[in-house]
Amino acid sequence: MGKSDTATPRERYRAQVRTEIKGHAWQQIATAGASALSLNAIAKQMGVSGPALYRYFAGRDELITELIRDAYRSLADTLGAAAAEGADLSGLAHVLRGWALADPHRYFLLYGTPVPGYHAPDDTTAISSEIMATLLTACAALTQGAQGAQDAPEAPFAAHLEKHRAWAGDHSAPPAALHLAMSFWTRMHGVLSLELAGHFTGMGFDPDLLFAAELDALLP
Protein backbone atom coordinates (compact mmCIF):
# COMPACT_ATOMS: atom_id res chain seq x y z
CA MET A 1 0.00 0.00 0.00
CA GLY A 2 1.48 3.35 -1.05
CA LYS A 3 1.84 6.42 1.10
CA SER A 4 -1.02 8.14 -0.76
CA ASP A 5 -3.30 5.22 0.14
CA THR A 6 -2.72 5.73 3.86
CA ALA A 7 -2.77 9.54 3.89
CA THR A 8 -5.55 11.27 5.75
CA PRO A 9 -7.92 13.63 3.89
CA ARG A 10 -6.08 16.55 5.50
CA GLU A 11 -2.74 15.24 4.29
CA ARG A 12 -4.09 14.69 0.77
CA TYR A 13 -5.50 18.22 0.70
CA ARG A 14 -2.18 19.63 1.88
CA ALA A 15 -0.33 17.73 -0.84
CA GLN A 16 -2.79 19.00 -3.47
CA VAL A 17 -2.34 22.62 -2.38
CA ARG A 18 1.46 22.28 -2.36
CA THR A 19 1.30 20.85 -5.89
CA GLU A 20 -0.88 23.77 -7.00
CA ILE A 21 1.51 26.26 -5.44
CA LYS A 22 4.44 24.67 -7.25
CA GLY A 23 2.53 24.79 -10.52
CA HIS A 24 2.04 28.55 -10.13
CA ALA A 25 5.70 28.88 -9.16
CA TRP A 26 6.84 27.23 -12.39
CA GLN A 27 4.60 29.61 -14.34
CA GLN A 28 6.23 32.57 -12.59
CA ILE A 29 9.68 31.20 -13.31
CA ALA A 30 8.79 30.76 -16.99
CA THR A 31 7.55 34.35 -17.14
CA ALA A 32 10.02 36.29 -15.02
CA GLY A 33 12.70 33.91 -13.75
CA ALA A 34 13.30 32.27 -10.39
CA SER A 35 14.68 35.47 -8.86
CA ALA A 36 11.22 37.06 -9.22
CA LEU A 37 9.40 34.22 -7.49
CA SER A 38 6.83 35.58 -5.00
CA LEU A 39 4.57 33.68 -2.62
CA ASN A 40 2.33 36.72 -2.32
CA ALA A 41 1.85 36.81 -6.09
CA ILE A 42 1.02 33.09 -6.07
CA ALA A 43 -1.47 33.66 -3.25
CA LYS A 44 -3.18 36.35 -5.33
CA GLN A 45 -3.43 33.98 -8.30
CA MET A 46 -4.98 31.33 -6.05
CA GLY A 47 -7.39 33.78 -4.46
CA VAL A 48 -6.07 33.37 -0.92
CA SER A 49 -4.15 35.57 1.49
CA GLY A 50 -0.37 35.64 1.53
CA PRO A 51 -0.13 34.32 5.10
CA ALA A 52 -2.29 31.35 4.10
CA LEU A 53 0.43 30.09 1.75
CA TYR A 54 3.03 30.23 4.48
CA ARG A 55 1.28 27.27 6.09
CA TYR A 56 2.51 25.22 3.12
CA PHE A 57 5.92 26.80 2.44
CA ALA A 58 7.79 28.81 5.04
CA GLY A 59 9.10 31.22 2.43
CA ARG A 60 10.45 31.69 -1.08
CA ASP A 61 13.64 29.75 -0.40
CA GLU A 62 11.78 26.68 0.83
CA LEU A 63 9.63 26.76 -2.30
CA ILE A 64 12.69 27.06 -4.56
CA THR A 65 14.33 24.18 -2.71
CA GLU A 66 11.26 22.01 -3.32
CA LEU A 67 11.30 22.88 -7.02
CA ILE A 68 15.00 22.05 -7.24
CA ARG A 69 14.46 18.73 -5.51
CA ASP A 70 11.62 17.90 -7.91
CA ALA A 71 13.75 18.81 -10.92
CA TYR A 72 16.74 16.78 -9.76
CA ARG A 73 14.45 13.84 -8.96
CA SER A 74 12.94 14.03 -12.44
CA LEU A 75 16.33 14.05 -14.16
CA ALA A 76 17.78 11.34 -11.91
CA ASP A 77 14.80 9.07 -12.54
CA THR A 78 14.83 9.77 -16.29
CA LEU A 79 18.53 8.97 -16.67
CA GLY A 80 18.30 6.02 -14.28
CA ALA A 81 15.42 4.49 -16.24
CA ALA A 82 17.32 4.91 -19.50
CA ALA A 83 20.43 3.28 -18.02
CA ALA A 84 18.35 0.39 -16.68
CA GLU A 85 17.05 -0.17 -20.20
CA GLY A 86 20.61 -0.41 -21.53
CA ALA A 87 21.41 3.15 -22.63
CA ASP A 88 25.14 3.79 -22.94
CA LEU A 89 26.79 7.19 -22.46
CA SER A 90 25.73 8.35 -25.92
CA GLY A 91 22.16 7.30 -25.21
CA LEU A 92 22.22 9.08 -21.86
CA ALA A 93 23.45 12.26 -23.56
CA HIS A 94 20.43 12.31 -25.86
CA VAL A 95 18.12 11.55 -22.93
CA LEU A 96 19.64 14.50 -21.08
CA ARG A 97 19.09 16.77 -24.07
CA GLY A 98 15.51 15.60 -24.49
CA TRP A 99 14.81 16.25 -20.81
CA ALA A 100 16.30 19.74 -21.05
CA LEU A 101 14.43 20.67 -24.22
CA ALA A 102 11.14 19.48 -22.74
CA ASP A 103 11.31 22.13 -20.00
CA PRO A 104 14.13 24.70 -20.35
CA HIS A 105 13.06 26.62 -17.23
CA ARG A 106 13.39 23.49 -15.12
CA TYR A 107 16.82 22.89 -16.66
CA PHE A 108 18.00 26.42 -15.94
CA LEU A 109 16.79 26.25 -12.33
CA LEU A 110 19.38 23.48 -11.87
CA TYR A 111 22.17 24.54 -14.23
CA GLY A 112 21.59 28.21 -14.95
CA THR A 113 22.59 31.38 -13.11
CA PRO A 114 22.18 30.97 -9.33
CA VAL A 115 19.20 32.74 -7.78
CA PRO A 116 20.47 35.85 -5.95
CA GLY A 117 20.27 35.44 -2.20
CA TYR A 118 19.32 31.77 -2.34
CA HIS A 119 21.49 29.03 -0.86
CA ALA A 120 20.42 25.45 -1.45
CA PRO A 121 20.57 23.13 1.59
CA ASP A 122 23.20 20.41 1.51
CA ASP A 123 20.69 17.60 1.12
CA THR A 124 19.79 18.75 -2.41
CA THR A 125 23.18 17.45 -3.55
CA ALA A 126 22.21 13.89 -2.64
CA ILE A 127 19.88 13.59 -5.63
CA SER A 128 22.35 15.29 -7.96
CA SER A 129 24.89 12.68 -6.87
CA GLU A 130 22.58 9.97 -8.24
CA ILE A 131 22.75 11.67 -11.63
CA MET A 132 26.53 11.76 -11.59
CA ALA A 133 26.72 8.14 -10.41
CA THR A 134 24.66 7.04 -13.42
CA LEU A 135 27.00 8.91 -15.76
CA LEU A 136 30.13 7.61 -14.00
CA THR A 137 28.93 4.03 -14.38
CA ALA A 138 28.38 4.58 -18.10
CA CYS A 139 31.79 6.25 -18.43
CA ALA A 140 33.51 3.41 -16.57
CA ALA A 141 31.94 0.84 -18.89
CA LEU A 142 32.98 2.84 -21.94
CA THR A 143 36.59 3.47 -20.92
CA GLN A 144 37.06 -0.10 -19.75
CA GLY A 145 35.89 -1.40 -23.10
CA ALA A 146 37.83 1.09 -25.21
CA GLN A 147 40.57 -0.58 -27.25
CA GLY A 148 43.99 0.41 -25.96
CA ALA A 149 42.59 2.33 -23.03
CA GLN A 150 44.69 0.39 -20.54
CA ASP A 151 47.90 1.20 -22.44
CA ALA A 152 47.14 4.87 -23.11
CA PRO A 153 49.17 7.40 -21.12
CA GLU A 154 47.22 9.03 -18.32
CA ALA A 155 46.16 12.59 -19.10
CA PRO A 156 47.30 15.19 -16.53
CA PHE A 157 43.74 16.19 -15.67
CA ALA A 158 42.73 12.53 -15.21
CA ALA A 159 45.62 12.13 -12.74
CA HIS A 160 44.47 15.29 -10.97
CA LEU A 161 40.90 14.01 -10.67
CA GLU A 162 42.07 10.77 -9.08
CA LYS A 163 43.12 12.84 -6.04
CA HIS A 164 40.29 15.37 -6.29
CA ARG A 165 37.20 13.20 -6.64
CA ALA A 166 34.87 14.46 -3.92
CA TRP A 167 32.37 15.40 -6.65
CA ALA A 168 32.19 11.69 -7.61
CA GLY A 169 31.06 10.59 -4.15
CA ASP A 170 31.99 7.02 -3.30
CA HIS A 171 31.91 5.81 -6.91
CA SER A 172 34.89 3.60 -7.74
CA ALA A 173 35.33 4.90 -11.29
CA PRO A 174 38.98 4.87 -12.46
CA PRO A 175 40.78 8.08 -13.51
CA ALA A 176 39.93 7.71 -17.20
CA ALA A 177 36.23 7.40 -16.38
CA LEU A 178 36.39 10.39 -14.03
CA HIS A 179 38.00 12.44 -16.78
CA LEU A 180 35.41 11.38 -19.34
CA ALA A 181 32.52 12.09 -16.96
CA MET A 182 33.78 15.58 -16.17
CA SER A 183 34.40 16.32 -19.85
CA PHE A 184 30.95 14.98 -20.73
CA TRP A 185 29.29 17.09 -18.04
CA THR A 186 30.97 20.34 -19.00
CA ARG A 187 30.75 19.98 -22.78
CA MET A 188 27.20 18.68 -22.97
CA HIS A 189 25.92 21.29 -20.54
CA GLY A 190 27.85 23.95 -22.39
CA VAL A 191 26.11 23.17 -25.67
CA LEU A 192 22.72 22.74 -24.00
CA SER A 193 22.97 26.00 -22.08
CA LEU A 194 23.84 27.97 -25.23
CA GLU A 195 21.05 26.32 -27.19
CA LEU A 196 18.36 26.79 -24.55
CA ALA A 197 19.38 30.40 -23.94
CA GLY A 198 18.79 31.10 -27.63
CA HIS A 199 22.38 31.85 -28.58
CA PHE A 200 22.17 29.66 -31.69
CA THR A 201 19.07 31.41 -32.99
CA GLY A 202 19.72 32.96 -36.38
CA MET A 203 23.09 31.27 -36.85
CA GLY A 204 21.66 28.98 -39.51
CA PHE A 205 22.76 25.54 -38.30
CA ASP A 206 21.05 22.62 -36.61
CA PRO A 207 21.84 22.50 -32.85
CA ASP A 208 20.94 18.80 -32.82
CA LEU A 209 23.79 18.09 -35.23
CA LEU A 210 26.17 20.24 -33.18
CA PHE A 211 25.26 18.32 -30.04
CA ALA A 212 25.83 15.01 -31.86
CA ALA A 213 29.17 16.21 -33.25
CA GLU A 214 30.39 17.33 -29.82
CA LEU A 215 29.33 14.00 -28.38
CA ASP A 216 31.12 12.04 -31.10
CA ALA A 217 34.28 14.05 -30.52
CA LEU A 218 34.08 13.33 -26.80
CA LEU A 219 33.54 9.57 -26.90
CA PRO A 220 36.60 7.28 -27.00
Side-chain angles (χ1 to χ4, degrees):
M1 182 178 292
K3 183 177 179 180
S4 61
D5 297 326
T6 60
T8 66
R10 183 183 181 88
E11 290 170 336
R12 288 195 295 270
Y13 176 76
R14 180 177 177 82
Q16 290 170 1
V17 174
R18 283 172 61 89
T19 298
E20 184 178 356
I21 292 170
K22 288 191 286 185
H24 285 291
W26 281 119
Q27 291 174 9
Q28 279 194 14
I29 290 172
T31 301
S35 60
L37 194 62
S38 166
L39 280 176
N40 287 330
I42 293 173
K44 186 176 181 179
Q45 289 178 310
M46 295 176 63
V48 299
S49 66
L53 258 64
Y54 287 90
R55 294 200 296 266
Y56 300 95
F57 291 97
R60 183 205 69 158
D61 285 6
E62 183 178 311
L63 177 54
I64 291 176
T65 296
E66 186 76 3
L67 297 177
I68 288 174
R69 287 196 183 107
D70 288 350
Y72 270 135
R73 182 76 272 150
S74 173
L75 181 55
D77 289 349
T78 299
L79 291 175
E85 292 176 0
D88 58 8
L89 188 62
S90 179
L92 293 177
H94 289 289
V95 169
L96 170 63
R97 182 168 183 265
W99 183 90
L101 290 175
D103 193 337
H105 303 293
R106 179 178 57 179
Y107 173 87
F108 279 124
L109 185 62
L110 297 183
Y111 302 113
T113 303
V115 179
Y118 171 76
H119 300 283
D122 293 340
D123 65 354
T124 58
T125 63
I127 307 175
S128 65
S129 295
E130 291 182 37
I131 297 169
M132 187 56 72
T134 298
L135 296 178
L136 281 167
T137 298
C139 288
L142 193 60
T143 54
Q144 182 178 12
Q147 185 175 3
Q150 302 300 321
D151 300 325
E154 190 175 78
F157 188 56
H160 172 79
L161 287 177
E162 174 64 10
K163 296 181 180 179
H164 298 81
R165 56 187 300 153
W167 58 276
D170 59 359
H171 201 287
S172 60
L178 294 174
H179 191 183
L180 179 58
M182 183 62 74
S183 298
F184 175 93
W185 204 233
T186 54
R187 289 178 67 170
M188 295 300 95
H189 279 301
V191 175
L192 279 173
S193 295
L194 288 170
E195 178 182 3
L196 294 176
H199 292 294
F200 298 152
T201 301
M203 294 183 70
F205 65 85
D206 185 347
D208 188 30
L209 294 178
L210 172 62
F211 187 86
E214 286 294 292
L215 180 60
D216 287 344
L218 179 65
L219 298 179

